[in-house]
Amino acid sequence: MVKAWRETVVIPTYEVGKAEKNPIFLEKRVYQGSSGVVYPYPVIESIEEKPVDHEWQAVWLENEYIKVMILPELGGRVQMAYDKIRQRHFVYYNNVIKPALVGLLGPWISGGIEFNWPQHHRPSTYLPVDSTIEENEDGSVTVWVSENEKMFHQKGMAGFTLRPGCAYLEIKGQLYNRTDVPQTFLWWANPAVEVNDAYQSVFPQDVNAVFDHGKRAVSSFPIATGTYYKMDYSSGVDISNYKNIKVPTSYMAVNSKYNFEGGYENDTQAGMLHVASNHFSPGKKQWTWGNGDFGRAWDRSLTDKDERGIYRPYIELMAGVYTENQPDFTWLMPYEEKQFVQYFMPYREVGMVKNASKDLVFGIEEIKKGQYQFKIQGTSKQNIHIVFTDKSGKKLYDEQRTISPEAVLCESFAAKGDWIELTIYKEQYGKERPVLTWAPEPDEIRPIPDAAEAALLPEQVKTNEQLYLTGLHIEQYRHATYVATDYYEEALRRDPNDIRCLNAMGLWYIRKGRLDKAETFLRKAVKLSMKRNPQPYDGEPLYNLAICLKYQGKYNEAYNLFWKVTWNKAWADAGYFEAAKISVMEERLDDAWEELRRCLNNNAHNQKALALKATVARLMGKKAEAKEICEEALKTDLFNYGCLYELGVICPDAFTKAESRLKEFDKIKVLMHGMPNNYQELALDYAAAGLSEFWRCQ
């Protein structure tokens, strides 16, 4: 059985000082390899010297194997994740809230699982987020946290799910660009784990090299043989072992085809694994303050002594989604949503994992010549068929077994050669299908990749192609000291008709609110791109010009361009949505209804379009249809405040109008928990469609 509940917990806390009331822009600050700009967030620059008992509002989630505590008031982080079988914390449980001034806005705390979005050590890591509890039809329970961040107006959600009979924490991410221009993001789940001299990182066997931040330096892995972080490893040092890393060190895996990473306590024979598809989650990272005096000083700065009278060290085992390095940002197009699922699980006895899925954890070792021992842990009770074969395909082991989280399967078999291949089968959809495989990595030596090189100055770059790509890279990675427009302008000095750089300059000026300058660049880009092709292959300049005109109040021309850009698939959903907003503004509701239908055909998860469609249905007198739209939208986003507001206005027949409105509006107030930017974002959504007086029930 799975249950979730809210509870006030008292944690010793070093309180933070008041936020600086004046804006701090920090335009040239470098933070984790990218820009440290934080405006409009306020900065905090002081922390109290002594702790006090602080009441935090926690959300608990528990099943028969795992117990989790989430703190919505601290960025929605997982503060505690407890393995009930081994009776141990499988992520680092900090016994005190002790911030240090190392975060983007100042305060940052160690331990638990932090979610770094839309950039590293996210601005809101020490700020409250929205939260709610969802009970699912299959008996699982999900705790959702959500945030409308202020810097780029993007929305990020994480849903923490425990399922009956499953010994893993499932985390579903939903990231949504609420704006009409492209934005960038990265997502790193940042679990901390307690370490000692017996701790070892568990990276897949195909990882032979690791990069530093920004790929500035590279090392072979697990045996480092050169200089890395100014440490001489020429004698050959295993840097997967915490005890061997004496200075603050990051490393991120290079190109693994496996879906897992983790760490293992060789003394207690227990550890933690992260599992997610490498197709969207290639990022695998370890960070440590170092097993030395400097690291121990940071242990004292970020925690207090535990019941044993010691300061417990930790490392971070970060898992990146749509990213493989830091900084390594990915684009979110206008109104685009990206979804993904990550799994965090305790495991034991298996040792250095060879392969893993959300259901199975597998390890194998040669215990003596020709004798192999393998271990398999299941995260739920399941029947599996285990087959080991040699190079010729001859079966070395072929058995059916029932496994469960309560016991680790441990068996042995003999083999003459050094090639062993595993396939685990399960009954699925009427036949036996492979669910986990493993074979040793080939013996050939793979080259270690080169470290990244710093960008050349604009005048040193040979081609316009590279000038454009360098400028785009600087924008995408939010570089703190290089300026993208230096490269675009150099390209335009050489070729004033470079369409890509004209478009890039126009979009850059839109972001800065310099719409007159943006229009000049974009009109030229559009004219050139349509000189021979009235239907250009790339519709972005058309779309950006339409956005620029919309912001200047030139709605008729903007509307025509938004429709024109829908001929281009890449911009169809955004174009239809922008056209619909103008149609609503001009009270052409039939047109808006058709445009929203077309928009949602291209992007069914455009949450702002769903809310506007519900509004249009209400204005057209289609209250039942408006209610249905809202209810469907809320199945995929419980924090769609536009749809929640519309439900309150619609007043479903199941209640009296007063009761219904109170019920829905109170729900919004609880979810928004007094955060002004939640109300501002909702108001701006209505205002963008000319519905500034949206609070008036129709």
Side-chain angles (χ1 to χ4, degrees):
M1 177 172 176
V2 186
K3 57 182 179 179
W5 69 98
R6 295 183 184 271
E7 181 180 309
T8 300
V9 296
V10 178
I11 305 175
T13 300
Y14 291 77
E15 303 283 14
V16 300
K18 290 184 178 180
E20 172 60 47
K21 65 180 180 179
N22 295 314
I24 299 179
F25 295 100
L26 304 171
E27 291 100 329
K28 296 294 183 180
R29 179 172 69 151
V30 180
Y31 187 84
Q32 298 288 344
S34 60
S35 172
V37 170
V38 297
Y39 182 81
Y41 285 103
V43 174
I44 294 173
E45 298 182 306
S46 64
I47 296 169
E48 296 297 327
E49 295 182 356
K50 294 182 179 181
V52 297
D53 286 342
H54 185 112
E55 291 186 349
W56 297 96
Q57 300 304 311
V59 185
W60 293 89
L61 188 59
E62 183 177 14
N63 69 2
E64 56 266 55
Y65 299 124
I66 291 176
K67 186 175 184 180
V68 177
M69 179 171 70
I70 299 157
L71 293 181
E73 293 178 297
L74 289 177
R77 69 189 300 114
V78 174
Q79 181 69 9
M80 185 191 84
Y82 187 73
D83 176 3
K84 294 168 68 173
I85 294 178
R86 281 294 300 266
Q87 298 183 4
R88 60 182 290 273
H89 297 281
F90 65 95
V91 298
Y92 183 95
Y93 178 49
N94 204 337
N95 55 314
V96 62
I97 304 295
K98 191 174 186 179
L101 296 176
V102 295
L104 259 173
L105 304 183
W108 179 87
I109 57 176
S110 65
I113 306 177
E114 176 197 25
F115 298 94
N116 292 276
W117 170 87
Q119 67 187 82
H120 194 57
H121 292 318
R122 64 194 260 201
S124 56
T125 192
Y126 205 82
L127 294 174
V129 297
D130 312 342
S131 66
T132 192
I133 298 170
E134 180 181 28
E135 296 183 355
N136 306 309
E137 292 182 359
D138 63 357
S140 64
V141 179
T142 303
V143 174
W144 285 98
V145 298
S146 176
E147 173 197 21
N148 290 316
E149 58 91 13
K150 298 179 183 179
M151 289 171 61
F152 304 98
H153 299 274
Q154 299 182 87
K155 180 175 181 175
M157 297 168 55
F160 308 95
T161 300
L162 289 183
R163 300 187 180 278
C166 294
Y168 54 70
L169 172 62
E170 176 183 320
I171 302 177
K172 180 180 181 181
Q174 290 181 212
L175 308 178
Y176 178 50
N177 178 5
R178 303 187 81 258
T179 75
D180 52 17
V181 293
Q183 304 291 354
T184 64
F185 78 96
L186 55 74
W187 174 284
W188 285 85
N190 182 15
V193 290
E194 186 173 346
V195 293
N196 58 25
D197 284 356
Y199 200 89
Q200 191 169 6
S201 294
V202 178
F203 277 25
Q205 62 183 6
D206 62 345
V207 176
N208 74 322
V210 290
F211 275 129
D212 181 22
H213 286 259
K215 302 183 179 180
R216 297 169 301 185
V218 64
S219 171
S220 55
F221 184 88
I223 307 301
T225 57
T227 299
Y228 193 63
Y229 274 83
K230 300 182 180 179
M231 291 293 293
D232 181 6
Y233 294 121
S234 58
S235 61
V237 177
D238 188 345
I239 58 172
S240 72
N241 284 297
Y242 165 73
K243 67 181 180 182
N244 295 332
I245 306 176
K246 304 300 181 182
V247 298
T249 303
S250 277
Y251 56 71
M252 285 160 264
V254 177
N255 296 334
S256 175
K257 65 177 179 287
Y258 288 89
N259 299 330
F260 74 92
E261 67 166 318
Y264 192 67
E265 303 165 4
N266 287 294
D267 50 354
T268 68
Q269 296 191 358
M272 182 212 73
L273 279 184
H274 165 263
V275 172
S277 169
N278 72 88
H279 297 296
F280 61 73
S281 182
K284 299 172 174 63
K285 174 190 173 184
Q286 177 184 292
W287 152 259
T288 175
W289 290 106
N291 185 18
D293 291 341
F294 185 84
R296 283 184 275 277
W298 272 102
D299 295 337
R300 295 191 294 271
S301 295
L302 290 165
T303 191
D304 285 346
K305 290 180 179 179
D306 66 5
E307 64 277 1
R308 298 167 294 177
I310 64 171
Y311 295 97
R312 296 176 297 130
Y314 74 95
I315 63 172
E316 297 169 6
L317 290 170
M318 302 185 71
V321 172
Y322 296 106
T323 176
E324 62 180 6
N325 196 267
Q326 294 170 349
D328 178 21
F329 291 86
T330 296
W331 291 102
L332 270 178
M333 291 295 107
Y335 311 113
E336 180 188 359
E337 180 187 73
K338 279 186 164 61
Q339 294 187 5
F340 51 88
V341 180
Q342 299 175 279
Y343 299 90
F344 291 90
M345 61 189 69
Y347 82 100
R348 63 190 190 282
E349 301 173 38
V350 177
M352 300 301 290
V353 174
K354 299 300 184 184
N355 202 359
S357 68
K358 71 179 179 65
D359 300 309
L360 300 166
V361 181
F362 164 74
I364 189 170
E365 59 180 343
E366 188 174 17
I367 53 178
K368 61 181 181 180
K369 186 64 176 177
Q371 193 72 22
Y372 291 85
Q373 182 183 79
F374 70 89
K375 296 178 180 179
I376 300 175
Q377 178 181 328
T379 59
S380 62
K381 188 174 181 180
Q382 51 197 294
N383 298 317
I384 59 174
H385 179 195
I386 308 165
V387 178
F388 284 95
T389 57
D390 64 15
K391 210 161 196 174
S392 68
K394 178 184 175 182
K395 291 183 179 179
L396 306 169
Y397 179 100
D398 184 356
E399 298 289 344
Q400 304 273 351
R401 292 288 183 265
T402 299
I403 58 173
S404 74
E406 281 86 356
V408 175
L409 176 68
C410 178
E411 295 192 9
S412 302
F413 63 91
K416 291 182 180 179
D418 58 359
W419 177 271
I420 301 164
E421 190 167 351
L422 164 75
T423 305
I424 299 179
Y425 300 89
K426 284 173 63 174
E427 187 77 19
Q428 290 184 337
Y429 311 113
K431 66 177 290 187
E432 200 173 65
R433 302 174 189 271
V435 294
L436 194 74
T437 61
W438 171 80
E441 284 297 300
D443 290 334
E444 71 261 19
I445 297 175
R446 289 175 292 149
I448 303 300
D450 294 329
E453 297 179 355
L456 297 173
L457 295 175
E459 60 271 19
Q460 298 171 324
V461 178
K462 292 183 178 180
T463 66
N464 268 25
E465 174 86 6
Q466 286 303 313
L467 282 167
Y468 168 74
L469 292 175
T470 302
L472 188 65
H473 168 80
I474 290 166
E475 286 198 86
Q476 182 171 343
Y477 279 52
R478 305 182 185 180
H479 205 284
T481 55
Y482 283 71
V483 180
T485 51
D486 290 346
Y487 293 84
Y488 302 145
E489 287 172 339
E490 172 64 20
L492 292 171
R493 185 188 65 79
R494 300 179 190 180
D495 178 4
N497 294 333
D498 189 308
I499 294 173
R500 290 182 304 176
C501 291
L502 287 167
N503 178 66
M505 287 296 297
L507 182 55
W508 191 86
Y509 277 116
I510 287 175
R511 295 184 192 278
K512 300 298 181 183
R514 298 288 304 277
L515 301 175
D516 53 339
K517 293 184 73 68
E519 184 178 346
T520 299
F521 283 105
L522 291 169
R523 283 198 182 278
K524 187 173 184 180
V526 167
K527 181 179 179 180
L528 290 166
S529 66
M530 298 179 71
K531 183 176 181 179
R532 299 188 185 278
N533 299 303
Q535 287 68 249
Y537 185 82
D538 182 3
E540 185 179 359
L542 275 168
Y543 176 81
N544 289 337
L545 177 58
I547 290 291
C548 179
L549 295 171
K550 178 192 75 170
Y551 282 130
Q552 295 179 81
K554 301 174 183 179
Y555 296 119
N556 186 56
E557 188 179 2
Y559 181 81
N560 290 329
L561 286 176
F562 283 132
W563 260 99
K564 179 65 174 178
V565 82
T566 64
W567 294 23
N568 185 285
K569 171 66 175 175
W571 298 94
D573 66 286
Y576 285 127
F577 182 47
E578 293 298 331
K581 288 193 283 186
I582 294 175
S583 294
V584 174
M585 187 183 303
E586 296 176 351
E587 299 186 4
R588 293 181 287 104
L589 298 183
D590 288 336
D591 289 342
W593 184 257
E594 173 62 15
E595 288 153 354
L596 288 165
R597 183 191 68 80
R598 289 170 175 263
C599 166
L600 291 166
N601 281 346
N602 284 275
N603 180 4
H605 280 202
N606 185 333
Q607 296 295 331
K608 291 177 69 170
L610 287 164
L612 184 58
K613 189 176 183 183
T615 303
V616 172
R618 169 171 61 82
L619 294 174
M620 297 172 80
K622 302 178 180 180
K623 291 191 175 182
E625 194 162 350
K627 178 176 179 288
E628 182 180 347
I629 293 167
C630 293
E631 289 173 343
E632 283 299 310
L634 291 167
K635 290 179 181 178
T636 57
D637 183 355
L638 294 172
F639 301 90
N640 188 323
Y641 293 134
C643 285
L644 285 170
Y645 186 88
E646 285 297 324
L647 282 176
V649 175
I650 292 164
C651 308
D653 296 336
F655 305 91
T656 66
K657 287 188 176 182
E659 287 173 341
S660 174
R661 194 169 303 148
L662 181 65
K663 179 176 183 289
E664 297 300 334
F665 289 171
D666 280 352
K667 185 186 299 182
I668 302 175
K669 288 172 64 178
V670 170
L671 289 175
M672 287 184 165
H673 64 97
M675 292 293 286
N677 65 300
N678 281 330
Y679 293 89
Q680 292 163 2
E681 293 289 344
L682 178 58
L684 287 170
D685 289 349
Y686 279 95
L691 299 170
S692 298
E693 298 183 2
F694 65 90
W695 54 83
R696 293 186 181 178
C697 298
Q698 302 297 319

